[in-house]
Amino acid sequence: MDTLRLAIVGYGKIARDQHHPAIDDNARYRLTAVSSRNASVADVANFESLEALLEQGPEIDAVSLCTPAGVRTAQARLAMASGKHVMLEKPPGATLAEIETLREDAERHGVTLFASWHSRHAHCVDSARQWLATRQIRRVDIEWKEDVRVWHPGQAWIWQPGGMGVFDPGINALSIVTEILPRPFHLTDAQLQVPGNCQTPIAASLDFVDGENVPIHAEFDFRQQGTPPIWNIHVETDEGRLTLEAGGSRLLIDGELREEGPDAEYAGLYERFATLIAEGRSDVDVSPFRHVADALMLGHRHTVEDFVE
């Protein structure tokens, strides 16, 4: 297949640190343009808006939307109406309903829409899914804790409606769990800690259960300081305890390391996107996002001290 001419829309930290290197390392793409209000990239065409890029820029085949979720839907609709394939950073939108609109747009315009979940492409996630498929699961515990000042510096949008607060990283854990567990599950309780000057939670404690009454507990916290982030998932089974550490890059069984690999999540995303385009298909799974929406709807809100950057 021909090299895909790609544009990045929204050149912030995640685009700079993850998307751009993954694109450069994949021969199936050529980064052709960037649309960003606050940044530019050498050796490609730069524009302040997606509208300007589509009207004045070079020919492109696809766009990767790395903007905040609140503006992403309008940009995705514009790009697809112009015949461009679209990859959405997570979460795929600000609401579940708007994603259905995007799904219909992709079908109508005959383009690929990819709602990406980068943590599903962590090195050991597929191995964990296969190991769990033949075992009886008894309990799941999720620990997802990091320092918001390190991982989202100066990103005030994360505390506004649609920004999701601690669910922005927490949804990564949910994207893994929905991938590796053999059965769907649903929320039964959510306790949300919301700073007095914010609209979204800084920490959350969640309880779920699946169709066989297996308990699933998650602790998300944006206040982890002084230590590396904790991105772990533990699954108790009838044949031992499986643990995914470091966001899915390390797999342990009963504390013994069985597998580990490099951070290549975004490389996996872009390979998947190119394959979907080649096959003329879309992938718009919203199951992790649905769990977040349920938590925000069902959750008990507890006001905690104001957040100061």
Side-chain angles (χ1 to χ4, degrees):
M1 104 182 207
D2 294 335
T3 301
L4 290 163
R5 299 164 296 183
L6 184 75
I8 293 176
V9 181
Y11 198 82
K13 178 176 172 58
I14 194 69
R16 181 176 62 252
D17 293 351
Q18 300 290 350
H19 288 263
H20 195 165
I23 294 163
D24 283 350
D25 289 343
N26 193 322
R28 302 174 79 174
Y29 296 94
R30 182 174 76 252
L31 183 61
T32 304
V34 166
S35 165
S36 184
R37 292 183 302 171
N38 302 310
S40 61
V41 178
D43 301 322
V44 303
N46 289 272
F47 301 88
E48 290 190 357
S49 70
L50 176 59
E51 291 84 354
L53 187 160
L54 293 172
E55 292 173 4
Q56 307 165 22
E59 285 295 320
I60 59 171
D61 304 299
V63 299
S64 180
L65 294 181
C66 304
T67 47
V71 300
R72 209 176 291 152
T73 291
Q75 293 172 333
R77 299 197 74 189
L78 177 63
M80 289 190 290
S82 299
K84 314 307 179 189
H85 308 292
V86 171
M87 181 164 86
L88 303 166
E89 242 293 355
K90 59 84 186 173
T95 69
L96 284 164
E98 67 191 52
I99 299 167
E100 295 308 310
T101 301
L102 296 184
R103 194 195 307 268
E104 292 183 356
D105 280 359
E107 293 178 1
R108 181 168 61 254
H109 296 301
V111 297
T112 291
L113 177 64
F114 179 32
S116 68
W117 301 104
H118 64 83
S119 290
R120 287 182 173 175
H121 293 268
H123 186 82
C124 298
V125 168
D126 193 55
S127 296
R129 180 188 60 78
Q130 294 181 49
W131 194 87
L132 291 171
T134 59
R135 290 163 173 87
Q136 181 180 350
I137 297 171
R138 293 174 173 166
R139 180 177 177 86
V140 181
D141 286 284
I142 304 163
E143 306 171 276
W144 223 258
K145 302 176 181 181
E146 62 185 62
D147 187 347
V148 64
R149 294 175 178 86
V150 172
W151 294 93
H152 295 273
Q155 296 179 17
W157 58 265
I158 206 167
W159 303 115
Q160 301 305 313
M164 298 206 308
V166 76
F167 288 113
D168 185 81
I171 205 170
N172 295 334
L174 294 171
S175 74
I176 294 175
V177 176
T178 51
E179 181 74 4
I180 66 175
L181 295 185
R183 295 180 297 274
F185 53 91
H186 65 274
L187 186 75
T188 58
D189 184 75
Q191 302 295 324
L192 312 178
Q193 298 186 44
V194 183
N197 59 342
C198 298
Q199 297 294 313
T200 56
I202 198 167
S205 179
L206 310 176
D207 286 296
F208 306 87
V209 68
D210 72 4
E212 296 190 4
N213 294 318
V214 172
I216 301 165
H217 180 74
E219 291 288 338
F220 301 155
D221 204 322
F222 247 163
R223 301 167 297 188
Q224 180 80 5
Q225 295 183 21
T227 61
I230 299 171
W231 299 325
N232 298 336
I233 297 168
H234 309 282
V235 186
E236 302 286 351
T237 80
D238 60 335
E239 296 184 33
R241 187 187 206 219
L242 177 144
T243 296
L244 282 173
E245 291 184 344
S249 63
R250 288 167 51 89
L251 172 63
L252 298 87
I253 303 297
D254 290 332
E256 177 185 345
L257 182 64
R258 294 288 186 88
E259 185 179 344
E260 65 179 326
D263 178 4
E265 295 177 7
Y266 282 82
L269 282 187
Y270 279 96
E271 194 63 24
R272 172 71 170 160
F273 188 33
T275 297
L276 289 169
I277 293 171
E279 296 176 352
R281 298 189 297 117
S282 291
D283 179 357
V284 193
D285 176 27
V286 296
S287 55
F289 196 23
R290 187 179 297 113
H291 289 304
V292 171
D294 285 353
L296 293 173
M297 180 167 60
L298 188 63
H300 300 270
R301 293 173 177 265
H302 309 277
T303 301
V304 296
E305 64 181 356
D306 289 1
F307 173 78
V308 180
E309 181 79 36

